[in-house]
Amino acid sequence: MIDINESVMQVLLAFVVVGPLLGAVTALLPAPPGLKGKSPEQAVLRHGVTVTGVILVAAIVLALGFDHDHPSKMQATTDISWIPALDVRIHLGIDGISLPLLVLTALLTFLCALYSYFKMPSGPSPKAFVALILVLESGTLATFAVLDLILFFLAFETVLIPMYFLIARWGGAQRTQAAWKFILFTLLGSVVMLLGLLLIGIKAGTFDMVALATDNGRSLTTSVQVIAVLAVGIGLAVKTPMWPLHSWLPDAHTAAPTVGSVLLAGVMLKMGTYGFVRILLPIAPDGMHTFAPYLAAFAVVGIIYGSLACLALAKQGAKGDLKRLIAYSSVGHMGFVLLGISTMTPTGVNGALFANIAHGLITGLLFFLVGALKDRTGTTDLDTLAEETGAALYDKAPRLGGLLAFAAVASLGLPGLAGFWGEMLALFGAFKPAADLSRPAFLTFMAIAAFGTLLTAAYMLAVVRRVCMGAVAQEAPKLADVQTYEFAAWTPLVALTVAAGLWPKALLGLTDPAVQQLLAGGTR
């Protein structure tokens, strides 16, 4: 780690949040300054790679300059009055909870920009595409960095419009319906969430998330906390997504372009679960205690429901779409995250945060791979992949088949890979929940969730068998193996999946002190 002055850290964090927004504006200029290509389209795509690359470097420097000896302390903080009448402040900062999500967002956005430079999805002008990607990155990064409830809401909403247009303009079949379903679900959830955030701020007398977390709900009555958790929780649950508010997700993923699916699964779903940890756990602990068993119940239903839906799609002869299957798998995986949060214990919450990062890496890789399969075969239909194209990937494209198998076993939670630790810690948290929660109920939830891990293994292995190990059709076209640009975009995800699986302390060492302090009474 390197020693960086606090004022430099403040500038770095502000640049990480605002930089993509400035890059989006310059992308819309007649020619992005300082960048040339064989065509204007190539120049603007190169601009996207450059801006996201600079933001990633800044995020890495921020992580290197972070005081890892005190990860529970808010660092690189900026606190400027914005709307004095409402006491709304431009308050930024990072701790061990938000830093990994910040770096993950910067990494995935850069990899998507790099992938798009070589494989731009068909649709309108690349200028608008690059600008939307950068606005989406700025909103997501801001969500993980702001420490004011009103700013959190604004950042939370900023990502909706760019994702809507990415699906509606660059998506596949039925993209318009999927985009409208996405925006309606998330906007309706956000309206309810705003009411809850306003209730907290008005009753507590401040919208400052650090002050509210330190107060630990003492300025809010139990009834206010219950109402706030219900209202804010609905908005966060839609974005997570939690069963039964998940139905927008499979349609959005199926219709979205490859990079849209990667960003939707890899970073946008994390915004909802991050809100549970950053806002509801420390600010309304009594309300969370009231709803924790219900949250856990919805979480385990989502785990089983998502797994059974994937099994139905993976079944031989079923009309299964591989992108839709992975989307349903996200419902199950995010169920483990919600289960960990609902235990209200350091073990469970650390597991939830670890599972968040692991899901971003692994599912991001899966959507990249499925996009590559679609580019080569023109379809993501499992029957077509397994039969008409004779897509025995181990024989026809061994490196692509090997990567798909790797991502599948990582997703099912193979020990030694990133997917294992988060789900295991969430189960341990359910084994011994917070003292005033019903242990018999959570033991039941734990048993149901553990059964869900078996179902996950079943459908993932079925996918590998059908796509990678089928009989090779002699008349099937030859498939191109992994290209250089694909190797560059996917290698970091593979490497980090292995590294997080073999050395979980690197991530848990950041999150655990911050979680311990969060549950004990806020963040200083």
Side-chain angles (χ1 to χ4, degrees):
M1 302 305 150
I2 56 178
D3 186 19
I4 300 180
N5 185 278
E6 178 67 13
S7 60
V8 177
M9 292 282 284
Q10 292 174 354
V11 172
L12 274 175
L13 181 58
F15 174 72
V16 164
V17 172
V18 178
L21 208 54
L22 299 176
V25 174
T26 55
L28 296 174
L29 296 177
L35 292 171
K36 294 182 179 180
K38 295 179 181 178
S39 65
E41 289 76 15
Q42 188 186 57
V44 76
L45 290 171
R46 186 175 295 173
H47 173 73
V49 175
T50 303
V51 173
T52 55
V54 170
I55 297 300
L56 174 60
V57 170
I60 292 172
V61 173
L62 196 65
L64 292 174
F66 186 81
D67 184 359
H68 290 255
D69 293 329
H70 302 92
S72 61
K73 177 186 175 183
M74 278 295 170
Q75 302 178 35
T77 54
T78 298
D79 191 0
I80 304 169
S81 178
W82 183 36
I83 307 176
L86 298 176
D87 194 28
V88 177
R89 311 183 67 81
I90 298 176
H91 194 180
L92 305 177
I94 52 170
D95 64 356
I97 293 171
S98 53
L99 179 62
L101 290 166
L102 201 79
V103 176
L104 175 69
T105 301
L107 173 65
L108 283 177
T109 311
F110 169 70
L111 296 181
C112 286
L114 180 65
Y115 187 86
S116 299
Y117 178 76
F118 294 96
K119 197 69 181 179
M120 171 70 191
S122 58
S125 163
K127 279 182 174 290
F129 178 81
V130 170
L132 291 169
I133 290 288
L134 292 173
V135 172
L136 180 64
E137 179 182 30
S138 183
T140 310
L141 290 169
T143 301
F144 299 135
V146 299
L147 298 172
D148 182 277
L149 290 179
I150 301 300
L151 278 185
F152 176 86
F153 177 78
L154 293 176
F156 199 83
E157 297 306 290
T158 297
V159 303
L160 301 184
I161 300 303
M163 182 54 72
Y164 167 81
F165 282 109
L166 286 173
I167 297 171
R169 303 302 299 275
W170 286 271
Q174 298 184 335
R175 58 183 181 269
T176 303
Q177 298 93 317
W180 273 111
K181 195 171 184 179
F182 162 76
I183 200 75
L184 288 175
F185 263 79
T186 49
L187 278 178
L188 289 174
S190 297
V191 169
V192 180
M193 184 176 77
L194 177 60
L195 296 176
L197 295 176
L198 291 174
L199 176 65
I200 291 172
I202 291 169
K203 291 295 185 180
T206 181
F207 291 101
D208 187 273
M209 291 159 66
V210 175
L212 288 166
T214 304
D215 182 67
N216 202 220
R218 285 183 286 271
S219 60
L220 301 173
T221 64
T222 300
S223 59
V224 168
Q225 290 190 37
V226 168
I227 296 170
V229 169
L230 179 62
V232 177
I234 288 174
L236 297 174
V238 170
K239 189 70 72 74
T240 298
M242 180 185 76
W243 181 92
L245 303 174
H246 70 284
S247 61
W248 62 269
L249 183 70
D251 292 338
H253 270 309
T254 304
T258 296
V259 295
S261 291
V262 171
L263 293 174
L264 181 58
V267 295
M268 280 189 63
L269 302 190
K270 314 301 174 286
M271 295 164 63
T273 51
Y274 174 77
F276 276 103
V277 175
R278 176 64 73 201
I279 297 174
L280 295 185
L281 277 178
I283 295 176
D286 294 337
M288 276 297 291
H289 275 98
T290 300
F291 282 105
Y294 304 102
L295 180 63
F298 283 124
V300 297
V301 170
I303 292 170
I304 299 301
Y305 171 83
S307 299
L308 290 176
C310 289
L311 271 176
L313 290 169
K315 188 174 66 173
Q316 194 78 29
K319 284 291 182 183
D321 183 279
L322 191 50
K323 281 190 78 174
R324 198 171 188 85
L325 184 149
I326 297 170
Y328 273 112
S329 78
S330 292
V331 176
H333 288 305
M334 299 312 289
F336 280 99
V337 177
L338 291 173
L339 176 62
I341 292 170
S342 70
T343 68
M344 302 188 70
T345 63
T347 301
V349 176
N350 275 303
L353 294 171
F354 199 105
N356 255 346
I357 301 298
H359 180 266
L361 296 171
I362 297 166
T363 307
L365 178 59
L366 276 168
F367 277 117
F368 269 134
L369 293 167
V370 174
L373 271 176
K374 186 173 184 179
D375 291 337
R376 287 157 170 76
T377 64
T379 183
T380 54
D381 180 76
L382 277 168
D383 275 342
T384 306
L385 285 172
E387 295 169 10
E388 292 182 18
T389 63
L393 284 181
Y394 288 154
D395 293 311
K396 299 171 69 61
R399 286 187 289 275
L400 186 60
L403 280 171
L404 182 61
F406 169 83
V409 297
S411 183
L412 65 83
L414 184 73
L417 298 176
F420 173 76
W421 295 107
E423 295 182 0
M424 185 59 62
L425 289 171
L427 292 174
F428 279 141
F431 180 75
K432 193 175 181 182
D436 48 355
L437 295 176
S438 170
R439 193 179 183 201
F442 273 84
L443 287 175
T444 304
F445 298 145
M446 182 196 72
I448 297 171
F451 178 66
T453 63
L454 300 179
L455 296 177
T456 303
Y459 70 73
M460 277 300 179
L461 293 176
V463 167
V464 172
R465 179 182 60 81
R466 291 186 66 185
V467 177
C468 297
M469 304 172 67
V472 181
Q474 295 300 318
E475 69 279 5
K478 186 71 175 175
L479 295 182
D481 214 336
V482 178
Q483 305 296 302
T484 303
Y485 72 93
E486 293 172 330
F487 182 80
W490 303 342
T491 297
L493 301 180
V494 174
L496 288 172
T497 298
V498 174
L502 295 178
W503 193 30
K505 184 181 177 182
L507 184 55
L508 293 173
L510 277 174
T511 62
D512 185 53
V515 168
Q516 295 275 0
Q517 184 165 294
L518 196 80
L519 294 176
T523 305
R524 290 189 295 272

